[in-house]
Amino acid sequence: IIESDRNGNGETLSLLINDSVRTFEKGIGLVADTTAAWSLAGKGCDALTGYLGIDAGLKEDVQAVVEIYGDGVLLYRSDPLIGGRSAEFIYLDIEGINHLEIKAVGSGEETLVSLGDAKLKKNQDAAEITLKKGESAAVSANASFMPEDFGKAVWESGDEDVAVVGKDGVITVVGEGMTRVKSYYETK
C-alpha cells in the first residue's frame, strides 16, 4: 500500500522527531515491501528531502530499511529504521535522475514507513544545506558514481564538533556552528 499525504494505513503521517511526535500534512506513506515510483523526466528536480522513519505509533519490534533508486541505480540505503526511534532527515542529490523509486523493506504489513514533508526540489546546484542538531542528510558526492564506486569515496567533516559524516555520506549535526563536508576518491 502506498499513500500520498497519509501513512500506509491511510491515517495522518506522524514521526518521532528529536523524541517528540510531529505530524505532517504532506508526505508519502508506505507499507513494508512496497515501492513508490515517479517519472522525473523533464522536471528539473535535483534533490529529494524529507523526514524518513517508522510511524510514531509503532513499537520497537517494528523495523524497516528504505532504499532509494534513481534510474535503477541504488542511491541511498537507510540504516535500520526502528519503531519508537527518531526519524532521520534526508537530503539526496537526484540531479539528472529520470525515474525515482522508494522501496520499503520491512517485517510485514504492520510496518508503516513514512517520508514526512517529502519534497522534490530544484536547488540549482545548491552548495550548502542547513540542518538542526540531531538531523541527518544523505548527500551524494557525485551523481555520476557507478555502483562499483560505492564505498570508495572518502568523506571528511571540517569540524566534528558540529557535524560528523559516515562512510556512506550521511551527515549528522551534533553541535552548533558551521562546517564544510568534503568528499574525494581515495587512490590505490
Side-chain angles (χ1 to χ4, degrees), residues 5-159:
D5 303 331
R6 297 278 178 206
N7 71 15
N9 280 345
E11 299 167 353
T12 301
L13 289 167
S14 65
L15 294 168
L16 287 175
I17 307 291
N18 295 327
D19 299 321
S20 296
V21 175
R22 180 170 166 195
T23 59
F24 297 88
E25 290 183 22
K26 298 289 183 185
I28 302 159
L30 301 162
V31 172
D33 302 320
T34 58
T35 301
W38 298 268
S39 173
L40 302 179
K43 293 191 168 76
C45 300
D46 57 17
L48 169 68
T49 66
Y51 292 90
L52 181 64
I54 300 291
D55 188 81
L58 298 179
K59 306 289 184 229
E60 287 188 16
D61 61 339
V62 177
Q63 295 188 26
V65 171
V66 172
E67 297 174 340
I68 301 175
Y69 293 86
D71 296 331
V73 175
L74 180 64
L75 302 175
Y76 173 78
R77 180 178 169 86
S78 72
D79 288 333
L81 304 171
I82 300 172
R85 297 202 185 158
S86 284
E88 60 186 58
F89 181 80
I90 63 166
Y91 176 100
L92 188 62
D93 182 347
I94 58 169
E95 184 176 4
I97 299 297
N98 291 310
H99 184 77
L100 184 69
E101 292 182 356
I102 301 176
K103 180 178 185 179
V105 180
S107 55
E109 288 186 22
E110 71 280 357
T111 304
L112 305 175
V113 176
S114 296
L115 183 59
D117 201 23
K119 294 179 183 168
L120 292 169
K121 294 186 173 188
K122 298 178 182 179
N123 288 329
Q124 308 299 325
D125 298 322
E128 66 182 57
I129 58 173
T130 301
L131 300 170
K132 296 177 184 172
K133 185 174 180 178
E135 292 182 340
S136 297
V139 180
S140 172
N142 183 331
S144 66
F145 278 179
M146 301 301 292
E148 60 269 16
D149 293 330
F150 287 151
K152 294 180 184 176
V154 176
W155 295 86
E156 290 181 355
S157 171
D159 185 346

Side-chain angles (χ1 to χ4, degrees), residues 132-135 159-164 171-176:
K132 296 177 184 172
K133 185 174 180 178
E135 292 182 340
D159 185 346
E160 291 193 346
D161 290 331
V162 175
V164 294
I171 302 162
T172 302
V173 177
V174 295
E176 292 186 27

